[in-house]
Coordinates of all heavy atoms in Angstrom, one line a residue:
S840 N 110.5 84.1 116.3 CA 111.7 83.8 117.0 C 111.5 83.6 118.5 O 112.0 82.7 119.1 CB 112.7 85.0 116.8 OG 113.9 84.8 117.5
V841 N 110.6 84.4 119.0 CA 110.2 84.2 120.5 C 109.6 82.8 120.6 O 109.9 82.1 121.5 CB 109.3 85.3 120.9 CG1 108.7 85.0 122.3 CG2 110.0 86.6 121.0
A842 N 108.7 82.5 119.7 CA 108.0 81.2 119.8 C 109.0 80.0 119.7 O 108.9 79.1 120.5 CB 107.0 81.0 118.6
F843 N 110.0 80.1 118.8 CA 111.0 79.1 118.6 C 111.8 79.0 119.9 O 112.1 77.9 120.4 CB 111.9 79.3 117.4 CG 113.0 78.4 117.3 CD1 112.7 77.0 117.0 CD2 114.3 78.8 117.5 CE1 113.8 76.1 116.9 CE2 115.4 77.8 117.4 CZ 115.1 76.5 117.1
H844 N 112.2 80.1 120.5 CA 113.1 80.0 121.7 C 112.2 79.5 122.9 O 112.8 78.9 123.8 CB 113.7 81.4 122.0 CG 114.9 81.6 121.2 ND1 115.0 81.9 119.9 CD2 116.3 81.5 121.6 CE1 116.2 82.0 119.5 NE2 117.0 81.8 120.5
T845 N 110.9 79.8 122.9 CA 110.1 79.3 123.9 C 110.0 77.8 123.8 O 110.1 77.1 124.8 CB 108.6 79.9 123.8 OG1 108.8 81.4 123.7 CG2 107.7 79.5 124.9
Q846 N 109.9 77.3 122.6 CA 109.9 75.8 122.4 C 111.2 75.2 122.9 O 111.2 74.2 123.6 CB 109.7 75.5 120.9 CG 108.3 75.8 120.4 CD 108.2 75.7 118.9 OE1 109.1 75.3 118.2 NE2 107.0 76.1 118.4
L847 N 112.3 75.9 122.6 CA 113.6 75.4 123.0 C 113.7 75.3 124.6 O 114.2 74.4 125.2 CB 114.8 76.3 122.6 CG 115.3 76.1 121.2 CD1 116.5 77.1 120.9 CD2 115.8 74.7 120.9
F848 N 113.1 76.4 125.2 CA 113.1 76.5 126.7 C 112.3 75.3 127.2 O 112.7 74.6 128.2 CB 112.5 77.8 127.1 CG 112.2 78.0 128.5 CD1 113.3 78.2 129.4 CD2 111.0 77.9 129.1 CE1 113.1 78.3 130.8 CE2 110.8 78.0 130.4 CZ 111.9 78.3 131.3
F849 N 111.1 75.0 126.7 CA 110.3 73.9 127.2 C 110.7 72.5 126.8 O 110.4 71.6 127.5 CB 108.8 74.1 126.8 CG 108.1 75.2 127.6 CD1 107.8 76.5 127.0 CD2 107.8 75.1 128.9 CE1 107.2 77.5 127.7 CE2 107.2 76.1 129.6 CZ 106.9 77.3 129.0
K850 N 111.6 72.5 125.8 CA 112.1 71.2 125.3 C 112.9 70.6 126.5 O 112.9 69.4 126.7 CB 113.0 71.4 124.1 CG 113.3 70.2 123.3 CD 114.1 70.6 122.1 CE 114.5 69.4 121.2 NZ 115.1 69.8 120.0
S851 N 113.7 71.4 127.2 CA 114.6 70.9 128.2 C 113.9 70.9 129.6 O 114.5 70.5 130.6 CB 115.8 71.7 128.3 OG 115.5 73.1 128.5
R852 N 112.6 71.3 129.6 CA 111.9 71.4 130.9 C 111.0 70.2 131.2 O 110.4 70.1 132.3 CB 111.1 72.7 131.0 CG 111.9 73.9 131.1 CD 112.6 74.0 132.4 NE 113.5 75.2 132.5 CZ 114.6 75.4 131.9 NH1 115.1 74.5 131.1 NH2 115.3 76.5 132.2
G853 N 110.7 69.4 130.2 CA 109.7 68.3 130.5 C 108.3 68.9 130.6 O 108.0 69.8 129.8
I854 N 107.6 68.5 131.6 CA 106.2 69.0 131.7 C 106.1 69.9 133.0 O 106.6 69.6 134.1 CB 105.2 67.9 131.9 CG1 105.2 67.0 130.7 CG2 103.8 68.4 132.1 CD1 104.3 65.8 130.8
L855 N 105.7 71.2 132.8 CA 105.5 72.1 133.9 C 104.0 72.3 134.2 O 103.2 72.2 133.3 CB 106.1 73.5 133.5 CG 107.6 73.5 133.2 CD1 108.0 74.9 132.8 CD2 108.5 73.0 134.3
N856 N 103.7 72.7 135.4 CA 102.3 73.1 135.6 C 102.3 74.6 136.1 O 103.1 74.9 137.0 CB 101.5 72.2 136.6 CG 102.3 71.8 137.8 OD1 103.5 72.2 137.9 ND2 101.7 71.1 138.7
E857 N 101.5 75.4 135.5 CA 101.4 76.8 135.8 C 100.0 77.3 135.9 O 99.1 76.7 135.3 CB 102.2 77.6 134.7 CG 103.7 77.4 134.6 CD 104.4 77.9 135.8 OE1 103.9 78.7 136.6 OE2 105.6 77.4 136.1
E858 N 99.9 78.5 136.6 CA 98.5 79.1 136.6 C 98.4 80.1 135.4 O 99.4 80.7 135.0 CB 98.4 79.9 137.9 CG 98.2 79.0 139.1 CD 97.8 79.8 140.3 OE1 97.9 81.0 140.3 OE2 97.3 79.1 141.3
G859 N 97.2 80.2 134.9 CA 97.0 81.1 133.8 C 95.5 81.6 133.8 O 94.7 81.3 134.7
F860 N 95.2 82.4 132.7 CA 93.9 82.9 132.6 C 93.3 82.6 131.2 O 94.1 82.7 130.3 CB 93.9 84.5 132.8 CG 94.4 84.9 134.2 CD1 95.7 85.2 134.4 CD2 93.5 84.8 135.3 CE1 96.1 85.6 135.7 CE2 93.9 85.2 136.5 CZ 95.2 85.6 136.8
V861 N 92.0 82.4 131.1 CA 91.4 82.2 129.8 C 91.3 83.5 129.1 O 90.8 84.5 129.6 CB 90.0 81.6 130.0 CG1 89.3 81.5 128.6 CG2 90.1 80.2 130.7
L862 N 91.9 83.6 127.9 CA 91.9 84.8 127.1 C 90.8 84.8 126.1 O 90.2 85.8 125.8 CB 93.3 85.0 126.5 CG 93.8 86.4 126.2 CD1 93.7 87.3 127.4 CD2 95.2 86.4 125.7
F863 N 90.6 83.7 125.5 CA 89.5 83.5 124.5 C 88.8 82.2 124.7 O 89.4 81.2 125.1 CB 90.0 83.6 123.1 CG 90.7 84.9 122.7 CD1 92.1 84.9 122.6 CD2 90.0 86.0 122.4 CE1 92.7 86.1 122.3 CE2 90.6 87.2 122.1 CZ 92.0 87.3 122.0
V864 N 87.5 82.1 124.3 CA 86.8 80.9 124.4 C 86.4 80.5 122.9 O 85.9 81.4 122.2 CB 85.5 81.1 125.2 CG1 84.7 79.8 125.3 CG2 85.9 81.4 126.7
R865 N 86.7 79.3 122.5 CA 86.4 78.9 121.2 C 85.3 77.7 121.2 O 85.0 77.3 122.3 CB 87.6 78.4 120.4 CG 88.7 79.5 120.3 CD 88.4 80.3 119.0 NE 89.5 81.2 118.8 CZ 89.4 82.5 119.1 NH1 88.3 83.0 119.6 NH2 90.4 83.4 118.8
K866 N 84.9 77.2 120.0 CA 83.9 76.2 120.0 C 84.4 74.9 120.7 O 83.6 74.2 121.3 CB 83.6 75.8 118.5 CG 82.6 76.8 117.9 CD 82.2 76.3 116.5 CE 81.3 77.3 115.9 NZ 81.0 77.0 114.5
N867 N 85.7 74.6 120.5 CA 86.1 73.3 121.1 C 87.4 73.4 121.9 O 88.1 72.5 122.2 CB 86.4 72.3 119.9 CG 87.5 72.8 119.0 OD1 87.8 74.0 119.0 ND2 88.1 72.0 118.2
A868 N 87.7 74.7 122.4 CA 88.9 74.9 123.1 C 88.9 76.2 123.8 O 88.0 77.1 123.6 CB 90.1 75.0 122.0
I869 N 89.8 76.4 124.8 CA 90.0 77.7 125.4 C 91.5 78.1 125.1 O 92.4 77.2 125.1 CB 89.8 77.6 126.9 CG1 90.6 76.5 127.6 CG2 88.3 77.5 127.2 CD1 90.5 76.5 129.1
I870 N 91.7 79.4 125.0 CA 93.1 79.9 124.8 C 93.5 80.5 126.1 O 92.8 81.4 126.7 CB 93.1 80.9 123.6 CG1 92.9 80.1 122.3 CG2 94.5 81.6 123.5 CD1 92.5 80.8 121.1
V871 N 94.6 80.0 126.6 CA 95.1 80.4 128.0 C 96.4 81.2 127.9 O 97.3 80.9 127.1 CB 95.3 79.1 128.8 CG1 95.9 79.4 130.1 CG2 94.0 78.3 128.9
L872 N 96.4 82.3 128.7 CA 97.6 83.1 128.8 C 98.3 82.8 130.2 O 97.7 82.7 131.2 CB 97.2 84.6 128.8 CG 98.4 85.5 129.1 CD1 99.2 85.7 127.8 CD2 97.9 86.9 129.5
I873 N 99.6 82.5 130.1 CA 100.4 82.2 131.3 C 101.2 83.5 131.5 O 102.3 83.7 130.9 CB 101.4 81.0 131.1 CG1 100.6 79.8 130.5 CG2 102.1 80.6 132.3 CD1 99.6 79.1 131.4
P874 N 100.8 84.3 132.4 CA 101.5 85.6 132.7 C 103.0 85.4 133.0 O 103.8 86.2 132.5 CB 100.8 86.3 133.8 CG 99.5 85.6 133.8 CD 99.7 84.2 133.4
K875 N 103.4 84.4 133.7 CA 104.8 84.2 134.1 C 105.7 84.1 132.9 O 106.8 84.6 133.0 CB 104.9 82.9 135.0 CG 106.3 82.6 135.4 CD 106.3 81.4 136.3 CE 107.7 80.9 136.6 NZ 107.7 79.7 137.4
F876 N 105.2 83.5 131.9 CA 106.1 83.3 130.7 C 105.6 84.2 129.5 O 106.2 84.1 128.4 CB 106.1 81.9 130.2 CG 106.6 80.9 131.2 CD1 105.9 79.7 131.5 CD2 107.8 81.1 131.8 CE1 106.5 78.8 132.4 CE2 108.4 80.2 132.7 CZ 107.7 79.1 133.1
G877 N 104.6 85.0 129.7 CA 104.0 85.7 128.5 C 103.6 84.8 127.4 O 103.8 85.2 126.2
L878 N 103.1 83.6 127.8 CA 102.9 82.6 126.8 C 101.4 82.3 126.6 O 100.7 82.3 127.6 CB 103.6 81.3 127.3 CG 103.4 80.0 126.5 CD1 104.2 80.1 125.2 CD2 103.9 78.9 127.3
E879 N 101.0 82.1 125.3 CA 99.6 81.7 125.0 C 99.6 80.3 124.5 O 100.5 80.0 123.7 CB 99.1 82.7 124.0 CG 98.2 83.7 124.5 CD 97.8 84.7 123.4 OE1 97.1 84.3 122.5 OE2 98.3 85.8 123.5
G880 N 98.6 79.6 124.9 CA 98.5 78.2 124.3 C 97.0 77.8 124.3 O 96.2 78.5 124.9
T881 N 96.7 76.7 123.6 CA 95.3 76.3 123.5 C 95.1 74.9 124.2 O 95.9 74.0 124.1 CB 95.0 76.1 122.0 OG1 95.4 77.3 121.3 CG2 93.5 75.8 121.8
V882 N 94.0 74.9 125.0 CA 93.6 73.6 125.6 C 92.4 73.1 124.8 O 91.4 73.7 124.7 CB 93.2 73.8 127.1 CG1 92.7 72.5 127.6 CG2 94.3 74.3 127.9
F883 N 92.7 72.0 124.0 CA 91.6 71.4 123.2 C 90.8 70.4 124.0 O 91.3 69.7 124.8 CB 92.2 70.7 122.0 CG 92.7 71.6 120.9 CD1 94.1 71.8 120.8 CD2 91.9 72.2 120.0 CE1 94.6 72.7 119.8 CE2 92.4 73.1 119.1 CZ 93.7 73.3 118.9
F884 N 89.4 70.4 123.7 CA 88.6 69.5 124.5 C 88.1 68.4 123.6 O 87.3 67.6 124.0 CB 87.4 70.3 125.1 CG 87.8 71.2 126.2 CD1 87.6 72.6 126.0 CD2 88.5 70.7 127.3 CE1 88.0 73.4 127.0 CE2 88.9 71.6 128.3 CZ 88.7 73.0 128.2
D885 N 88.5 68.3 122.3 CA 88.0 67.2 121.5 C 89.2 66.5 120.9 O 90.2 67.2 120.5 CB 87.1 67.6 120.3 CG 87.7 68.7 119.5 OD1 88.8 69.2 119.9 OD2 87.1 69.1 118.5
A886 N 89.3 65.2 121.0 CA 90.4 64.5 120.5 C 90.0 63.7 119.2 O 88.9 63.3 119.1 CB 90.9 63.5 121.5
K887 N 90.9 63.6 118.2 CA 90.6 62.9 117.0 C 90.3 61.5 117.2 O 89.4 60.9 116.6 CB 91.8 63.0 116.0 CG 91.9 64.4 115.3 CD 93.1 64.4 114.4 CE 93.3 65.7 113.8 NZ 94.5 65.8 113.0
D888 N 91.0 60.8 118.1 CA 91.0 59.4 118.2 C 90.0 58.8 119.2 O 89.8 57.6 119.3 CB 92.4 58.8 118.5 CG 93.1 59.6 119.5 OD1 92.5 60.6 120.0 OD2 94.3 59.3 119.9
K889 N 89.4 59.7 120.0 CA 88.4 59.2 121.0 C 87.2 60.1 121.2 O 87.3 61.3 120.8 CB 89.1 58.9 122.4 CG 89.7 60.2 123.0 CD 90.3 59.8 124.4 CE 90.5 61.0 125.3 NZ 91.7 61.6 125.2
A890 N 86.2 59.6 121.7 CA 85.0 60.4 121.9 C 85.3 61.5 122.9 O 85.8 61.2 124.0 CB 83.8 59.5 122.4
G891 N 84.9 62.7 122.5 CA 85.2 63.8 123.4 C 84.1 64.1 124.4 O 83.0 63.4 124.3
P892 N 84.3 65.0 125.3 CA 83.3 65.4 126.3 C 82.1 66.1 125.6 O 82.3 66.6 124.4 CB 84.0 66.3 127.3 CG 85.1 66.9 126.5 CD 85.5 65.9 125.4
K893 N 81.0 66.3 126.3 CA 79.9 67.1 125.7 C 80.2 68.6 125.8 O 80.6 69.1 126.9 CB 78.7 66.8 126.6 CG 77.4 67.4 126.1 CD 76.2 66.9 126.9 CE 74.9 67.6 126.4 NZ 74.6 68.7 127.3
L894 N 80.2 69.2 124.6 CA 80.6 70.6 124.5 C 79.4 71.5 124.1 O 78.7 71.1 123.1 CB 81.7 70.8 123.5 CG 83.0 70.1 123.7 CD1 84.0 70.3 122.6 CD2 83.7 70.4 125.0
V895 N 79.1 72.6 124.8 CA 78.1 73.5 124.3 C 78.7 74.9 124.3 O 79.2 75.4 125.3 CB 76.9 73.5 125.3 CG1 75.8 74.5 124.8 CG2 76.3 72.1 125.4
F896 N 78.7 75.5 123.1 CA 79.4 76.8 122.9 C 78.3 77.9 122.7 O 77.4 77.7 121.9 CB 80.3 76.8 121.7 CG 80.9 78.1 121.3 CD1 81.9 78.6 122.2 CD2 80.6 78.8 120.2 CE1 82.5 79.8 121.9 CE2 81.2 80.0 119.9 CZ 82.1 80.5 120.7
D897 N 78.4 78.9 123.5 CA 77.5 80.0 123.3 C 78.2 81.3 122.9 O 79.1 81.8 123.6 CB 76.7 80.3 124.7 CG 75.9 81.6 124.6 OD1 75.6 82.0 123.5 OD2 75.4 82.0 125.7
E898 N 78.0 81.7 121.7 CA 78.8 82.8 121.1 C 78.5 84.1 121.8 O 79.3 85.0 121.8 CB 78.4 83.0 119.6 CG 79.6 83.5 118.8 CD 79.4 83.2 117.3 OE1 78.9 82.2 116.9 OE2 79.8 84.1 116.6
E899 N 77.3 84.3 122.4 CA 77.0 85.6 123.0 C 77.8 85.9 124.2 O 78.2 87.0 124.4 CB 75.5 85.5 123.5 CG 74.5 85.9 122.3 CD 75.0 87.1 121.6 OE1 75.0 88.2 122.2 OE2 75.4 87.0 120.4
G900 N 78.1 84.8 125.0 CA 78.9 85.0 126.3 C 80.2 85.7 126.1 O 80.5 86.7 126.6
P901 N 81.2 85.1 125.3 CA 81.2 83.8 124.9 C 81.5 82.8 126.0 O 82.3 83.1 126.9 CB 82.2 83.7 123.8 CG 83.2 84.8 124.2 CD 82.5 85.8 124.9
T902 N 80.7 81.7 126.1 CA 81.0 80.7 127.1 C 81.1 79.3 126.4 O 80.6 79.1 125.3 CB 79.9 80.6 128.1 OG1 78.7 80.2 127.5 CG2 79.7 81.9 128.9
L903 N 81.8 78.4 127.1 CA 81.9 77.0 126.6 C 81.6 76.1 127.8 O 82.3 76.1 128.8 CB 83.3 76.7 126.1 CG 83.6 75.3 125.6 CD1 82.7 75.0 124.4 CD2 85.0 75.1 125.2
N904 N 80.6 75.3 127.6 CA 80.3 74.3 128.7 C 81.0 73.0 128.3 O 80.8 72.4 127.2 CB 78.7 74.0 128.7 CG 78.0 75.0 129.5 OD1 78.6 76.0 129.8 ND2 76.8 74.7 130.0
V905 N 81.8 72.5 129.2 CA 82.5 71.2 129.0 C 81.9 70.3 130.1 O 82.2 70.6 131.3 CB 84.0 71.4 129.2 CG1 84.7 70.1 128.9 CG2 84.5 72.4 128.2
E906 N 81.2 69.3 129.7 CA 80.5 68.5 130.7 C 79.6 69.4 131.6 O 78.8 70.1 131.1 CB 81.4 67.6 131.5 CG 82.2 66.6 130.7 CD 81.3 65.5 130.0 OE1 80.1 65.4 130.4 OE2 81.8 64.8 129.1
Q907 N 80.0 69.5 132.9 CA 79.2 70.4 133.8 C 79.8 71.7 134.0 O 79.2 72.6 134.7 CB 79.0 69.6 135.2 CG 78.3 68.3 135.0 CD 77.0 68.3 134.3 OE1 76.2 69.2 134.5 NE2 76.8 67.4 133.3

Side-chain angles (χ1 to χ4, degrees):
S840 178
V841 168
F843 175 66
H844 277 75
T845 306
Q846 288 169 5
L847 278 183
F848 174 74
F849 284 107
K850 194 176 183 176
S851 57
R852 289 292 179 287
I854 300 177
L855 297 181
N856 47 355
E857 291 294 340
E858 288 192 343
F860 297 97
V861 176
L862 209 49
F863 298 104
V864 178
R865 297 275 184 261
K866 278 185 181 172
N867 60 345
I869 51 172
I870 291 161
V871 176
L872 175 78
I873 311 292
K875 180 177 172 183
F876 297 132
L878 176 71
E879 258 173 69
T881 309
V882 176
F883 285 102
F884 293 118
D885 54 354
K887 281 182 186 172
D888 44 1
K889 61 175 198 271
K893 182 170 176 265
L894 304 177
V895 181
F896 177 68
D897 173 12
E898 208 161 324
E899 276 314 294
T902 62
L903 177 66
N904 274 20
V905 182
E906 296 295 349
Q907 302 307 313

